[in-house]
Amino acid sequence: MAKVYIPAQLRAFTEGAEWVEASGDTVGAVIGNLGPSVRNRLLRDGRLAPGLAIAVDGEITPLGLRETVAPETEIHFLTAISGGFL
Amino acid sequence: MSTAPYNIIGTRPPRHDGADKVTGRAIYGADFQINGLLHGAVLRSPHAHARIESVDTSRAAAYPGVVAIVTADDFPQTPDRIVDLGEGETPLSYVRGNVLAKGKVLYQGHAVAAVAATSPHAAEQAAKLIDVRYTPLPCVLTAPEGMAPGASKLHEQENVTHHIQHAIGDADAAFQQAAIVVEREFHTATVHQGYIEPHAATALWNNDGRVQIWCSTQGSFVVRDVVSCLLDLPVSQVKVTPTEIGGGFGGKIPVYIEPVAALLSRRSGRPVRIVMNRRDVFEGSGPTPGSFIRVKLGADAEGRFIAARAHLAYEAGAYPGGMVGPGTMCVFAAYDIPNVAIDGYDVLVNKPSTAAYRAPGATNAAFATESVVDELARQLKIDPLELRLRNASREGTRRADGPKFRRIGCVEVLEAMKAHPHYSAPLGAASHAAAKRGRGTAIGYWFNIGLPSSCVISVNADGTVNLIEGSTDIGGTRTSIAMQAAEVLGIPVADVHPAVVDTDTIGYTGVTGGSRTTYATGWAAHDAAKDVIRLMTERAAKIWQADDVQFANGIFRSGNNQLTFAELAAKLTETGGPVVGQASVNPKAAGGSFAGVIADVEVDVETGKVTILRFTSIQDAGRAIHPSYVEGQMQGGSVQGIGWALNEEYWMSPDGRMVNSTLLDYRMPTILDVPPIDTQIVEVPNPAHPFGVRGVGEANIVPPPAALANAIHDALGIRMSRLPMNPPSIVAELAKQ
């Protein structure tokens, strides 16, 4: 099971838990197995919500939802870094 | 990661573009020439916030020499949608609205219309004849103003566009256990990157429907993507050629004039060039945000940080998506603190939409945190570097935004600071009776980024290679990338001929920003060179009819046979034709960098003038490919940090006009203001990179303002809570004592 760290603003939906466990071979699959309250705030139209980036085991992955996940993987949702919005 | 002794890496060869740049032959944005060129001028808003009631271009159109005029109505009015422009997703309407305003202007300098004419003078005069009728609206100029109840709103949405939270542990409970707690508030001013070359772009909307652009940019593919989005063209119909660039520091990632020049070219049927002047740059391009920050830090009696809280409110400028996100990620990154709560607010204000500026968001945050850390050290009577070492982040430390650090050099940088002769050198006596001296330290972090990069290497018959890449060269990256290829190929770096090419000629390459170019494009060059060696090994095998060809130090060997790289290069035609290696990468392990500063100052208590006596910058480079370029980045970031700390700010009138939009009044440091900046490179290799590279272009700007504030405190006993710490503000603080 992957360890999914819940963004602070969504912890109301996990009873305050900083992380939850979920199964899946990819980040997308893992998110798909989260509760709808969290899942629907992380995804928009099947894509990662704007402004978010995914870190797998501490590193932001360019593969996003397609990044593969091992059983002990840590998944974080970070603020996407840009050099300005343009 | 290779740990072998290197032949090229770590040396200091001359830069490939040096001759062109010192002889004035390098072609910068405004130097580009093309037959039939028209000159563009942009009309900008005089108001910080106003409704556009009407735009009448008839008088301008009648001005002699005018060929075309455009407004926001000339953009294809495609429905709004989220677009991914390579560095993040954003609504198309924001991008379009910032390039040419429609309905409302949101800051003084907001572009409203543009003219193309046969001379720059005609274009400027005609632009002044465009009649725009405005209804001024109330404006908000700082993050706290924008957040205030009842504040004037820029868009339909609230001014607070994002609220970011990070939390680990239980900060409130931990503060109750703390032996000592320090909480302070800080303000930082809006500042500009201050690149010397203004934005410049030439566009040609050709008869075949393709758009060509030549411009000064940090990211040619970003320009291509933005222009194609705004003009509703496939990306393949836009070709962008980056010219040489006279500085960017993050400010030349956004796109301002390129789509306007393209619209004018479509209207006129001729190429159009737009060149910003300095006022345009200050008022019409993206500065980095002013901010309000509150930091609270609690420690136990031994000086272990056990609780931290931060409130960061950053100006976004006129559109959402400012720099508060990275600010929240960096504010406590240097420290291992088990209980942290961070709130970040992205706040719309009537200033230009903010842009990146070396480690965007981190300098503001470090000014606050490192000032509080210094105060804790004083109250605990612990050496400030010892206190930092006691709490330093290291491999395995969980950051407040969640992930654990991999191998980082925070401890090594702090140890280097402590061991540096500067730190133990006497401060010396003040130069006159009204002067006092002090020393300050600070550290800072920037995580750096990956993003895609591509390289192609073709082998010449004389044993040299041509290396083509898509990364605009800022700070000598042609050479730092070529050095990585040369190391793999076993040839002198002078035998690698690097070229920065257009978007048709190389695979997608991300911006020269995020301290990523030597890291990611260098990685692509490493892999492309490996591809060349693989192909040439096959040729050697064909010549010798052998299957045991080995390559090392520029020589192919099999049994008693051997050929140098150059000797084998001469035989390519007869063994199958040209050899071309290529690689594209999209790395994720960027390897963050820590930097530290030791600063000595003398402050005149009568005038408030701060003189920097000695300044030492220490940074983890992972592996310094070209140490001179690393040192150059450290010195450049330090000087910019000094300007941010002591002088620079957007002076705004109450109605939102910038009143110091010249380099005479916007006071950047010159060679007369700063002492020689000593540098020390720390090398904690990034295990993910073939040569251990970490980006070095940004972390160095993070600690200077805090280090100088701490030095001023050491000298005067006053805690400066606002940037810039200019003479009037220091005199005012002294008067409170």
Side-chain angles (χ1 to χ4, degrees):
Chain A
M1 301 274 269
K3 205 169 177 180
V4 183
Y5 281 77
I6 306 298
Q9 283 147 312
L10 302 186
R11 288 178 196 162
F13 304 110
T14 57
E15 298 176 345
E18 286 187 25
W19 53 271
V20 298
E21 288 188 326
S23 60
D25 296 332
T26 64
V27 172
V30 170
I31 295 175
N33 288 326
L34 297 175
S37 300
V38 174
R39 181 178 66 227
N40 294 339
R41 284 167 175 79
L42 295 174
L43 301 179
R44 190 172 297 173
D45 300 327
R47 304 178 64 190
L48 192 64
L52 287 182
I54 294 170
V56 171
D57 289 332
E59 301 291 354
I60 291 176
T61 170
L63 296 179
L65 300 176
R66 295 186 182 87
E67 182 65 73
T68 54
V69 170
E72 301 301 317
T73 293
E74 282 191 5
I75 300 173
H76 294 270
F77 300 93
L78 305 179
T79 308
I81 302 307
S82 69
F85 79 93
L86 293 176
Chain B
M1 182 187 67
S2 167
T3 55
Y6 298 119
N7 296 313
I8 308 290
I9 304 299
T11 63
R12 301 172 185 250
R15 56 192 295 169
H16 295 77
D17 54 339
D20 280 350
K21 286 185 173 166
V22 300
T23 57
R25 293 196 180 93
I27 303 297
Y28 289 83
D31 297 327
F32 180 76
Q33 294 291 339
I34 187 170
N35 286 342
L37 183 68
L38 295 176
H39 303 270
V42 175
L43 177 69
R44 299 181 179 279
S45 167
H47 300 288
H49 194 192
R51 218 172 14 252
I52 300 173
E53 304 294 355
S54 63
V55 180
D56 182 351
T57 61
S58 55
R59 285 201 302 148
Y63 192 85
V66 170
V67 182
I69 301 174
V70 297
T71 68
D73 290 337
D74 288 276
F75 279 125
Q77 297 303 305
T78 48
D80 198 14
R81 60 191 166 93
I82 301 293
V83 291
D84 184 350
L85 299 174
E87 269 218 313
E89 296 177 320
T90 187
L92 177 62
S93 59
Y94 290 166
V95 184
R96 196 161 49 198
N98 195 47
V99 170
L100 281 173
K102 188 176 175 67
K104 277 174 80 175
V105 289
L106 301 172
Y107 53 93
Q108 181 216 13
H110 200 161
V112 175
V115 177
T118 51
S119 75
H121 177 75
E124 289 168 12
Q125 292 302 310
K128 293 175 185 171
L129 297 176
I130 297 173
D131 296 308
V132 184
R133 203 156 55 80
Y134 297 100
T135 299
L137 299 167
C139 61
V140 290
L141 299 175
T142 66
E145 282 180 31
M147 296 175 77
S152 173
K153 293 201 308 186
L154 280 77
H155 300 280
E156 288 186 4
Q157 67 185 117
E158 297 298 320
N159 289 339
V160 177
T161 65
H162 294 98
H163 176 199
I164 298 162
Q165 286 186 302
H166 303 301
I168 56 173
D170 186 339
D172 288 333
F175 276 118
Q176 299 296 320
Q177 307 301 317
I180 181 170
V181 175
V182 173
E183 182 174 16
R184 294 286 177 268
E185 293 182 346
F186 300 88
H187 298 261
T188 71
T190 308
V191 297
H192 199 274
Q193 301 84 355
Y195 34 82
I196 296 304
E197 181 208 21
H199 296 257
T202 302
L204 170 61
W205 198 308
N206 218 337
N207 293 342
D208 61 4
R210 290 200 86 200
V211 176
Q212 291 191 61
I213 292 173
W214 299 263
C215 62
S216 173
T217 176
Q218 290 180 242
S220 53
F221 284 87
V222 171
V223 175
R224 183 195 68 170
D225 293 354
V226 170
V227 169
S228 71
C229 272
L230 294 186
L231 304 181
D232 200 24
L233 294 170
V235 291
S236 60
Q237 290 297 94
V238 181
K239 173 182 171 182
V240 177
T241 303
T243 62
E244 295 298 337
I245 180 169
F249 314 110
K252 285 185 183 164
I253 296 171
V255 172
Y256 304 104
I257 51 177
E258 291 83 355
V260 180
L263 285 175
L264 288 167
S265 178
R266 182 173 63 176
R267 271 277 164 111
S268 63
R270 293 168 63 175
V272 176
R273 181 171 69 204
I274 299 176
V275 181
M276 286 192 182
N277 59 31
R278 184 58 58 185
R279 184 176 175 184
D280 294 336
V281 171
F282 275 121
E283 298 176 0
S285 71
T288 213
S291 58
F292 166 74
I293 303 171
R294 185 186 307 117
V295 162
K296 182 178 180 182
L297 197 51
D300 64 18
E302 285 73 46
R304 308 260 178 217
F305 299 164
I306 60 171
R309 178 178 289 284
H311 164 109
L312 305 97
Y314 282 26
E315 299 164 8
Y319 294 93
M323 306 302 152
V324 72
T328 64
M329 294 163 72
C330 292
V331 62
F332 296 127
Y335 303 110
D336 185 352
I337 312 174
N339 304 286
V340 182
I342 299 169
D343 289 275
Y345 300 90
D346 186 52
V347 188
L348 295 171
V349 297
N350 292 108
K351 290 179 180 172
S353 192
T354 55
Y357 181 16
R358 286 189 197 258
T363 303
N364 315 45
F367 171 55
T369 302
E370 292 297 291
S371 295
V372 169
V373 168
D374 187 72
E375 193 160 334
L376 269 175
R378 289 177 183 279
Q379 293 193 24
L380 288 163
K381 300 190 186 328
I382 299 174
D383 174 88
L385 292 183
E386 174 56 32
L387 181 67
R388 291 183 175 99
L389 273 166
R390 212 170 278 185
N391 294 282
S393 290
R394 54 195 77 217
E395 187 173 6
T397 295
R398 186 173 296 287
R399 297 175 357 210
D401 56 319
K404 289 179 182 173
F405 275 118
R406 294 195 173 181
R407 185 71 177 93
I408 51 172
C410 184
V411 168
E412 287 79 357
V413 166
L414 284 165
E415 287 175 339
M417 292 170 72
K418 206 170 172 186
H420 196 284
H422 181 170
Y423 195 58
S424 52
L427 261 173
S431 62
H432 57 96
K436 293 186 176 180
R437 292 187 171 192
R439 174 170 296 154
T441 57
I443 58 171
Y445 172 70
W446 183 248
F447 30 76
N448 300 327
I449 61 172
L451 298 182
S453 278
S454 307
C455 278
V456 175
I457 297 175
S458 54
V459 181
N460 298 315
D462 62 0
T464 64
V465 301
N466 300 328
L467 185 160
I468 66 171
E469 46 158 311
S471 292
T472 304
D473 184 346
I474 305 179
T477 51
R478 279 186 184 88
T479 301
S480 64
I481 292 163
M483 289 172 73
Q484 295 178 68
E487 185 71 50
V488 174
L489 298 173
I491 61 177
V493 69
D495 288 350
V496 180
H497 304 299
V500 180
V501 297
D502 61 75
T503 53
D504 278 6
T505 310
I506 189 70
Y508 189 97
T509 296
V511 296
T512 295
S515 299
R516 63 172 296 280
T517 305
T518 297
Y519 165 76
T521 309
W523 192 332
H526 167 277
D527 287 4
K530 287 280 189 187
D531 198 33
V532 166
I533 295 303
R534 178 183 64 79
L535 295 167
M536 290 186 68
T537 300
E538 291 175 5
R539 300 302 177 87
K542 186 178 287 185
I543 292 169
W544 297 322
Q545 295 296 301
D547 58 6
D548 62 347
V549 177
Q550 301 292 318
F551 175 79
N553 296 319
I555 299 173
F556 297 87
R557 288 189 174 86
S558 172
N560 292 326
N561 298 312
Q562 71 172 45
L563 286 168
T564 65
F565 185 91
E567 288 168 341
L568 182 55
K571 298 176 185 298
L572 295 184
T573 303
E574 65 198 69
T575 58
V579 162
V580 178
Q582 58 186 351
S584 289
V585 300
N586 194 4
K588 58 183 176 184
S593 176
F594 283 87
V597 162
I598 309 166
D600 294 354
V601 302
E602 181 172 285
V603 188
D604 187 315
V605 297
E606 292 177 344
T607 66
K609 183 179 189 307
V610 175
T611 301
I612 300 173
L613 303 170
R614 188 173 180 182
F615 194 100
T616 302
S617 173
I618 297 173
Q619 184 172 357
D620 176 17
R623 181 86 66 204
I625 299 295
H626 192 307
S628 296
Y629 298 168
V630 175
E631 291 157 1
Q633 291 294 322
M634 294 166 71
Q635 290 169 331
S638 295
V639 172
Q640 290 183 309
I642 289 168
W644 195 338
L646 299 181
N647 297 316
E648 296 179 36
E649 64 179 315
Y650 271 46
W651 267 88
M652 307 300 291
S653 68
D655 60 349
R657 288 179 300 108
M658 184 183 184
V659 297
N660 61 334
S661 51
T662 71
L663 287 182
L664 188 64
D665 297 317
Y666 182 94
R667 183 71 166 79
M668 295 199 301
T670 69
I671 194 70
L672 300 176
D673 299 304
V674 292
I677 292 169
D678 192 12
T679 58
Q680 181 178 336
I681 300 170
V682 171
E683 290 188 306
V684 179
N686 174 7
H689 187 274
F691 294 121
V693 171
R694 299 177 192 271
V696 295
E698 297 174 277
N700 38 60
I701 200 174
V702 180
L708 290 169
N710 295 338
I712 292 168
H713 184 277
D714 191 45
L716 305 179
I718 57 172
R719 177 63 59 194
M720 299 301 293
S721 62
R722 285 181 182 270
L723 299 183
M725 301 177 288
N726 54 20
S729 65
I730 288 175
V731 169
E733 285 298 319
L734 282 169
K736 294 177 187 172
Q737 281 190 318

